[in-house]
Amino acid sequence: MTISVIAFDADDTLWDYEIIYEQARPEILRLLGSHQENDELSAILDETEINNLVVYGYGVKSFALSMIEMFANHANGPIDKTTLKELIVLFKYMLSKPLEVNQYAESVLNRLSKEYCLMLLTKGELFEQERKIQRSGLEKYFDIIEITSQKTEKKYRQILEKHGIKPHQFLMVGNSLKSDILPVIGIGGRAVYIPHPQTWIYETLPEEEQGGGYSQLDHLGQLPEYLDQMGVFSS
Ligand SMILES: [Mg+2]
């Protein structure tokens, strides 16, 4: 098999991102008036976010709208001006916090960009994702950048067709079985799953739905050696 295009997921594959939400959640609960980690409220918070995905899509701005809804429905008493200001500061911080780029990203992309066509394929809000790509300093390694609202089989097919890529030439690398791996296997591509310790509950799958047909690595630094061993070089 000859792979000529390697696509990378961005959030929690090339840089840490779920951690930003994980750090924000207790802060939101505190502002809501729950001074201790409240499991029930925390579950409602996730549920509100997930239910709103169909209306708002992914990203911090969508998260912010969902959190305002949380306050409207679950705040202890009326929301004062100070709390609102604290929320706005939190959302702006989430949008501007420096990215923790994966320690292997630069060297792996630099090496692979000499032999493959590299694609950055990320799901989220256009402006937010563009800013993160610019801030990461990794943009220069990619021949193709695709920002999509969803990562379904249909979307992958459309993106591949748009660039004239056949599924058997395509390999996707990412941390979400649901978004990065199974849909790519479903359309006849190859996929390398690199789990990240912080993965949003929505992106996780129960064991019986984790499927197969993909490879799994412990970290991004193992990717070049994996490709060498698989003999999937383009030349
Ligand atoms: Mg990801």
PDB file of all heavy atoms in Angstrom, residues 9-15 122 151 174-176 179-180 203, ligand 1:
ATOM      1  N   ASP A   9      -4.932  15.403  12.845  1.00  0.00           N
ATOM      2  CA  ASP A   9      -5.861  16.149  13.682  1.00  0.00           C
ATOM      3  C   ASP A   9      -5.026  17.202  14.426  1.00  0.00           C
ATOM      4  O   ASP A   9      -3.806  17.053  14.553  1.00  0.00           O
ATOM      5  CB  ASP A   9      -6.506  15.160  14.664  1.00  0.00           C
ATOM      6  CG  ASP A   9      -7.210  15.856  15.795  1.00  0.00           C
ATOM      7  OD1 ASP A   9      -8.068  16.708  15.510  1.00  0.00           O
ATOM      8  OD2 ASP A   9      -6.892  15.556  16.974  1.00  0.00           O
ATOM      9  N   ALA A  10      -5.665  18.260  14.914  1.00  0.00           N
ATOM     10  CA  ALA A  10      -4.896  19.316  15.578  1.00  0.00           C
ATOM     11  C   ALA A  10      -5.019  19.240  17.107  1.00  0.00           C
ATOM     12  O   ALA A  10      -4.058  18.883  17.796  1.00  0.00           O
ATOM     13  CB  ALA A  10      -5.352  20.669  15.059  1.00  0.00           C
ATOM     14  N   ASP A  11      -6.219  19.539  17.639  1.00  0.00           N
ATOM     15  CA  ASP A  11      -6.404  19.601  19.092  1.00  0.00           C
ATOM     16  C   ASP A  11      -6.138  18.243  19.742  1.00  0.00           C
ATOM     17  O   ASP A  11      -6.745  17.235  19.374  1.00  0.00           O
ATOM     18  CB  ASP A  11      -7.843  20.035  19.431  1.00  0.00           C
ATOM     19  CG  ASP A  11      -8.122  21.476  19.004  1.00  0.00           C
ATOM     20  OD1 ASP A  11      -7.164  22.242  18.802  1.00  0.00           O
ATOM     21  OD2 ASP A  11      -9.313  21.831  18.881  1.00  0.00           O
ATOM     22  N   ASP A  12      -5.237  18.234  20.695  1.00  0.00           N
ATOM     23  CA  ASP A  12      -4.866  17.034  21.460  1.00  0.00           C
ATOM     24  C   ASP A  12      -4.181  15.961  20.613  1.00  0.00           C
ATOM     25  O   ASP A  12      -4.063  14.808  21.038  1.00  0.00           O
ATOM     26  CB  ASP A  12      -6.060  16.471  22.244  1.00  0.00           C
ATOM     27  CG  ASP A  12      -6.571  17.504  23.247  1.00  0.00           C
ATOM     28  OD1 ASP A  12      -5.735  18.047  23.988  1.00  0.00           O
ATOM     29  OD2 ASP A  12      -7.779  17.802  23.255  1.00  0.00           O
ATOM     30  N   THR A  13      -3.738  16.371  19.411  1.00  0.00           N
ATOM     31  CA  THR A  13      -2.846  15.529  18.615  1.00  0.00           C
ATOM     32  C   THR A  13      -1.545  16.308  18.390  1.00  0.00           C
ATOM     33  O   THR A  13      -0.464  15.836  18.722  1.00  0.00           O
ATOM     34  CB  THR A  13      -3.483  15.135  17.272  1.00  0.00           C
ATOM     35  OG1 THR A  13      -4.629  14.329  17.532  1.00  0.00           O
ATOM     36  CG2 THR A  13      -2.518  14.349  16.394  1.00  0.00           C
ATOM     37  N   LEU A  14      -1.653  17.536  17.873  1.00  0.00           N
ATOM     38  CA  LEU A  14      -0.459  18.360  17.656  1.00  0.00           C
ATOM     39  C   LEU A  14      -0.225  19.330  18.813  1.00  0.00           C
ATOM     40  O   LEU A  14       0.878  19.820  19.015  1.00  0.00           O
ATOM     41  CB  LEU A  14      -0.588  19.148  16.349  1.00  0.00           C
ATOM     42  CG  LEU A  14      -0.620  18.308  15.072  1.00  0.00           C
ATOM     43  CD1 LEU A  14      -0.791  19.202  13.858  1.00  0.00           C
ATOM     44  CD2 LEU A  14       0.641  17.456  14.939  1.00  0.00           C
ATOM     45  N   TRP A  15      -1.296  19.677  19.524  1.00  0.00           N
ATOM     46  CA  TRP A  15      -1.157  20.517  20.727  1.00  0.00           C
ATOM     47  C   TRP A  15      -2.256  20.137  21.715  1.00  0.00           C
ATOM     48  O   TRP A  15      -3.284  19.597  21.347  1.00  0.00           O
ATOM     49  CB  TRP A  15      -1.221  22.010  20.376  1.00  0.00           C
ATOM     50  CG  TRP A  15      -2.407  22.431  19.554  1.00  0.00           C
ATOM     51  CD1 TRP A  15      -3.710  22.571  19.986  1.00  0.00           C
ATOM     52  CD2 TRP A  15      -2.420  22.791  18.158  1.00  0.00           C
ATOM     53  NE1 TRP A  15      -4.515  22.983  18.956  1.00  0.00           N
ATOM     54  CE2 TRP A  15      -3.751  23.130  17.825  1.00  0.00           C
ATOM     55  CE3 TRP A  15      -1.430  22.874  17.183  1.00  0.00           C
ATOM     56  CZ2 TRP A  15      -4.117  23.531  16.538  1.00  0.00           C
ATOM     57  CZ3 TRP A  15      -1.815  23.275  15.904  1.00  0.00           C
ATOM     58  CH2 TRP A  15      -3.130  23.603  15.596  1.00  0.00           C
ATOM     59  N   THR A 122      -8.763  19.654  10.864  1.00  0.00           N
ATOM     60  CA  THR A 122      -9.265  19.932  12.204  1.00  0.00           C
ATOM     61  C   THR A 122     -10.742  20.309  12.195  1.00  0.00           C
ATOM     62  O   THR A 122     -11.231  20.911  11.245  1.00  0.00           O
ATOM     63  CB  THR A 122      -8.396  21.031  12.880  1.00  0.00           C
ATOM     64  OG1 THR A 122      -8.971  21.373  14.134  1.00  0.00           O
ATOM     65  CG2 THR A 122      -8.326  22.304  12.038  1.00  0.00           C
ATOM     66  N   LYS A 151     -16.445  15.674  11.503  1.00  0.00           N
ATOM     67  CA  LYS A 151     -15.567  14.681  10.881  1.00  0.00           C
ATOM     68  C   LYS A 151     -16.356  13.389  10.715  1.00  0.00           C
ATOM     69  O   LYS A 151     -16.218  12.464  11.505  1.00  0.00           O
ATOM     70  CB  LYS A 151     -14.323  14.467  11.740  1.00  0.00           C
ATOM     71  CG  LYS A 151     -13.265  15.567  11.607  1.00  0.00           C
ATOM     72  CD  LYS A 151     -12.142  15.325  12.592  1.00  0.00           C
ATOM     73  CE  LYS A 151     -10.922  16.192  12.284  1.00  0.00           C
ATOM     74  NZ  LYS A 151      -9.917  16.068  13.362  1.00  0.00           N
ATOM     75  N   GLY A 174      -4.781  10.827  14.698  1.00  0.00           N
ATOM     76  CA  GLY A 174      -5.556  11.645  15.626  1.00  0.00           C
ATOM     77  C   GLY A 174      -5.827  10.978  16.956  1.00  0.00           C
ATOM     78  O   GLY A 174      -5.523   9.795  17.143  1.00  0.00           O
ATOM     79  N   ASN A 175      -6.425  11.733  17.870  1.00  0.00           N
ATOM     80  CA  ASN A 175      -6.662  11.237  19.235  1.00  0.00           C
ATOM     81  C   ASN A 175      -8.111  10.836  19.490  1.00  0.00           C
ATOM     82  O   ASN A 175      -8.440  10.402  20.585  1.00  0.00           O
ATOM     83  CB  ASN A 175      -6.273  12.305  20.265  1.00  0.00           C
ATOM     84  CG  ASN A 175      -7.292  13.438  20.328  1.00  0.00           C
ATOM     85  OD1 ASN A 175      -7.587  14.059  19.308  1.00  0.00           O
ATOM     86  ND2 ASN A 175      -7.857  13.688  21.485  1.00  0.00           N
ATOM     87  N   SER A 176      -8.977  11.004  18.476  1.00  0.00           N
ATOM     88  CA  SER A 176     -10.382  10.653  18.698  1.00  0.00           C
ATOM     89  C   SER A 176     -10.800   9.508  17.780  1.00  0.00           C
ATOM     90  O   SER A 176     -10.821   9.663  16.557  1.00  0.00           O
ATOM     91  CB  SER A 176     -11.280  11.872  18.436  1.00  0.00           C
ATOM     92  OG  SER A 176     -12.626  11.453  18.374  1.00  0.00           O
ATOM     93  N   SER A 179     -13.916  10.653  15.765  1.00  0.00           N
ATOM     94  CA  SER A 179     -13.797  11.683  14.725  1.00  0.00           C
ATOM     95  C   SER A 179     -12.640  11.458  13.748  1.00  0.00           C
ATOM     96  O   SER A 179     -12.750  11.798  12.577  1.00  0.00           O
ATOM     97  CB  SER A 179     -13.577  13.059  15.377  1.00  0.00           C
ATOM     98  OG  SER A 179     -14.666  13.402  16.171  1.00  0.00           O
ATOM     99  N   ASP A 180     -11.535  10.928  14.258  1.00  0.00           N
ATOM    100  CA  ASP A 180     -10.330  10.850  13.420  1.00  0.00           C
ATOM    101  C   ASP A 180     -10.090   9.464  12.829  1.00  0.00           C
ATOM    102  O   ASP A 180      -9.417   9.346  11.811  1.00  0.00           O
ATOM    103  CB  ASP A 180      -9.075  11.209  14.250  1.00  0.00           C
ATOM    104  CG  ASP A 180      -9.187  12.578  14.896  1.00  0.00           C
ATOM    105  OD1 ASP A 180      -9.629  13.508  14.205  1.00  0.00           O
ATOM    106  OD2 ASP A 180      -8.829  12.711  16.081  1.00  0.00           O
ATOM    107  N   GLU A 203     -16.042  12.607  22.784  1.00  0.00           N
ATOM    108  CA  GLU A 203     -15.170  11.991  21.771  1.00  0.00           C
ATOM    109  C   GLU A 203     -14.793  10.555  22.132  1.00  0.00           C
ATOM    110  O   GLU A 203     -14.118   9.882  21.362  1.00  0.00           O
ATOM    111  CB  GLU A 203     -13.895  12.817  21.579  1.00  0.00           C
ATOM    112  CG  GLU A 203     -14.111  14.228  21.053  1.00  0.00           C
ATOM    113  CD  GLU A 203     -14.554  14.281  19.594  1.00  0.00           C
ATOM    114  OE1 GLU A 203     -14.586  13.230  18.927  1.00  0.00           O
ATOM    115  OE2 GLU A 203     -14.890  15.379  19.142  1.00  0.00           O
TER     116      GLU A 203
HETATM  117 MG    MG B   1      -8.329  15.971  18.591  1.00  0.00          MG
END
